[in-house]
Amino acid sequence: MNKLIIEGGHRLQGEVEISGFKNAAVAIIPATVLAGDTCIIENLPEISDVKTLSEILIGLGATVRELGPKAIEVNTTGMTECFADYESAKELRASYYLLGAGLGRFKKARVVYPGGCSIGTRPIDQHIKGFEALGAKVTIEHGIISVEADRLVGAEIYMDVVSVGATINIMLAASRAEGMTIIENAAKEPHVVDVANFLNCLGADVRGAGTDVIKIKGVHELKGCNHMVIPDQIEAGTYMIAAAATKGDIVLNNVIPKHLEAITAKLKEMGIEIIENCESIRVVANSPLKNINIKTLVYPGFPTDLQQPMSSLLTVANGTSVVTETIFEGRFKHVDELKRMGANIKVEGRVAVINGVDKLMGAKVSASDLRAGAALVVAGLVAEGETEIENVHFVDRGYDQLEEKLVKLGARVRRVSL
Ligand code: EPZ
């Protein structure tokens, strides 16, 4: 197990290159199963989830060749089935995209019930609703989800809950169904659009991604293509928050400012100066941090994935801030660890009331999930003294070369392998 040791109190300054988006990459890699051909995926983040998914595909009969640090060539021609019903697939939530891709390609698939960050119950009823609407039979036995259909026929599907995963999974299966599928109340996140663009690059017919109505006209065959993953707006938002916390001045390169509108707006409310260019954004924090209120919502609202890092920033803002987490009911596990560092936070259900303190003190803390880990990194950067963060493997799932990028920005961070 690794630990990160952070010596707080150093301003972040300079430039950081933002990597490809984890949550787009972990959907596009399984989606290559639909092609039964060779795909080249570029601008991948170097994170453990990408490595795990590549290993799973190889286990399913695909070949995956590294073309460089951020690109792979995936050939799924040799696959005859999609049964990822073994332990390693349990490590990450995105394994469930193999259900939609396997159903679309083979009319059947089996995947171990998905794992992923422990941030709430994370049901999959909307995925199941979509697959059944397309004509599949779904069974869950002994922790394995099985989907099977004689025929996949397009359908009109209304999502009871706006779900990124279910929207993407249904898009995958519907791309090879007979006729038109309409997903209503669809998720509008940028990575839903990126997956739709990838599917269309394979020869699918997906329209309306990015709106709440997505129409997918099934096609008989999909072929391979090359695709570049969009930049990771959650990684970018995390560095923006870290710059604000350390009264820094940083430029983030390889970003799409439009995808960062919610975090940009809230940091500006706190008194942070944000300068946007076409593919970069500059964050300048040199005035006292004002308290604000945050309510996580589906895109384009404030992203739930930045709630935890933002909560760390609010612990040292002036006054009282209120954070409402409307997406995941269990996404406050970082709070107890922040309290060890001197934060003043009271959680009632889905609401955290944060009273700003003058400073945080370094301490030994433990990450409970990916973005809780990111929250502790932000807190460590601003705390007085040294912070030791355990369970860094959570952070490695979603942040590409975290300590290298932070050290380049002037932070004092080192990794200790236990
Ligand atoms: C994706 O999770 C992301 N993970 C999450 O990022 C992100 O927090 C989340 O979307 C919301 O943006 C990946 O893309 C791998 P949802 P997902 O389905 O698809 C409920 C990170 O830190 N729901 O949009 O699982 C669900 O309980 C990770 O990078 C149902 O009720 O999220 C939640 O309340 C964490 N039934 C809400 O919808 C379902 O069938 C949104 O979940 C599915 C979801």
Side-chain angles (χ1 to χ4, degrees):
M1 302 290 266
N2 288 340
K3 275 198 293 194
L4 280 186
I5 314 285
I6 303 177
E7 181 192 290
H10 301 281
R11 294 184 69 227
L12 297 188
Q13 290 181 292
E15 300 195 21
V16 60
E17 306 301 315
I18 296 304
S19 301
F21 193 8
K22 163 181 93 80
N23 291 343
V26 298
I28 288 166
I29 292 170
T32 60
V33 169
L34 285 163
D37 197 352
T38 298
C39 295
I40 290 177
I41 315 294
E42 296 174 288
N43 196 36
L44 286 168
E46 291 177 84
I47 55 174
S48 56
D49 275 11
V50 166
K51 292 184 182 66
T52 304
L53 271 173
S54 300
E55 286 157 11
I56 291 170
L57 280 191
I58 292 166
L60 293 172
T63 57
V64 180
R65 192 160 65 91
E66 291 212 355
L67 300 179
K70 300 182 182 298
I72 57 172
E73 179 192 77
V74 186
N75 185 339
T76 58
T77 313
M79 286 180 63
T80 55
E81 59 188 22
C82 193
F83 294 163
D85 44 6
Y86 40 79
E87 275 314 288
S88 67
K90 197 173 171 181
E91 272 173 50
L92 68 162
R93 186 151 196 79
S95 302
Y96 62 20
Y97 291 130
L98 289 164
L99 291 169
L103 193 57
R105 167 94 181 269
F106 303 113
K107 301 288 181 297
K108 64 181 172 183
R110 264 205 322 261
V111 177
V112 67
Y113 205 95
C117 289
S118 167
I119 52 178
T121 49
R122 306 192 81 177
I124 59 167
D125 58 302
Q126 298 300 302
H127 299 245
I128 293 169
K129 173 179 181 175
F131 294 148
E132 287 177 341
L134 294 172
K137 182 171 175 293
V138 183
T139 53
I140 301 177
E141 283 167 350
H142 311 300
I144 304 287
I145 307 167
S146 303
V147 292
E148 192 160 359
D150 297 327
R151 285 176 63 204
L152 281 182
V153 181
E156 205 165 317
I157 303 162
Y158 177 80
M159 308 304 292
D160 304 312
V161 179
V162 176
S163 160
V164 168
T167 299
I168 291 175
N169 233 341
I170 296 165
M171 264 196 325
L172 298 181
S175 69
R176 294 292 305 274
E178 297 165 37
M180 181 70 80
T181 295
I182 300 174
I183 305 174
E184 295 186 353
N185 200 25
K188 300 185 279 191
E189 272 70 2
H191 42 310
V192 172
V193 178
D194 202 27
V195 172
N197 289 340
F198 175 67
L199 290 174
N200 287 335
C201 178
L202 296 178
D205 183 348
V206 183
R207 300 162 196 259
T211 75
D212 56 6
V213 179
I214 302 177
K215 293 183 178 176
I216 306 109
K217 191 156 175 264
V219 295
H220 287 296
E221 189 181 25
L222 295 172
K223 299 305 286 175
C225 79
N226 293 14
H227 182 79
M228 183 163 278
V229 174
I230 57 169
D232 191 326
Q233 79 249 31
I234 304 302
E235 182 195 24
T238 307
Y239 281 98
M240 293 169 74
I241 290 167
T246 58
K247 302 230 176 312
D249 179 349
I250 70 169
V251 174
L252 298 90
N253 294 316
N254 308 327
V255 296
I256 300 174
K258 171 80 180 152
H259 294 168
L260 298 168
E261 273 179 348
I263 183 66
T264 296
K266 297 313 280 185
L267 289 177
K268 282 180 176 175
E269 274 182 44
M270 295 184 77
I272 305 295
E273 187 184 352
I274 309 272
I275 301 129
E276 292 181 10
N277 292 309
C278 297
E279 295 180 338
S280 66
I281 199 164
R282 184 177 172 199
V283 179
V284 186
N286 49 24
S287 51
L289 295 171
K290 298 188 186 95
N291 60 318
I292 58 168
N293 296 330
I294 296 283
K295 185 171 192 176
T296 65
L297 291 169
V298 297
Y299 192 85
F302 189 89
T304 175
D305 294 346
L306 287 177
Q307 178 265 108
Q308 293 156 291
M310 179 56 105
S311 297
S312 291
L313 176 63
L314 295 173
T315 64
V316 289
N318 294 325
T320 299
S321 301
V322 178
V323 176
T324 307
E325 172 56 68
T326 72
I327 309 291
F328 291 111
E329 71 278 12
R331 204 163 200 173
F332 283 130
K333 291 199 179 79
H334 54 297
V335 167
D336 286 346
E337 299 303 299
L338 291 176
K339 285 179 176 175
R340 285 174 192 273
M341 300 175 74
N344 179 338
I345 308 179
K346 188 168 170 37
V347 174
E348 293 281 343
R350 287 181 177 246
V351 177
V353 178
I354 303 174
N355 295 305
V357 293
D358 290 341
K359 61 183 173 184
L360 295 179
M361 304 303 289
K364 290 185 189 324
V365 291
S366 183
S368 54
D369 57 74
L370 165 55
R371 306 302 173 182
L376 296 176
V377 169
V378 170
L381 290 170
V382 71
E384 187 178 280
E386 201 167 76
T387 298
E388 269 189 33
I389 303 174
E390 282 186 339
N391 293 336
V392 179
H393 62 279
F394 283 116
V395 182
D396 294 341
R397 289 191 49 206
Y399 288 91
D400 181 355
Q401 299 170 75
L402 177 70
E403 61 263 37
E404 291 83 351
K405 291 184 179 183
L406 285 173
V407 165
K408 189 164 171 271
L409 288 169
R412 299 278 174 83
V413 186
R414 59 192 168 84
R415 180 180 291 255
V416 172
S417 300
L418 293 177

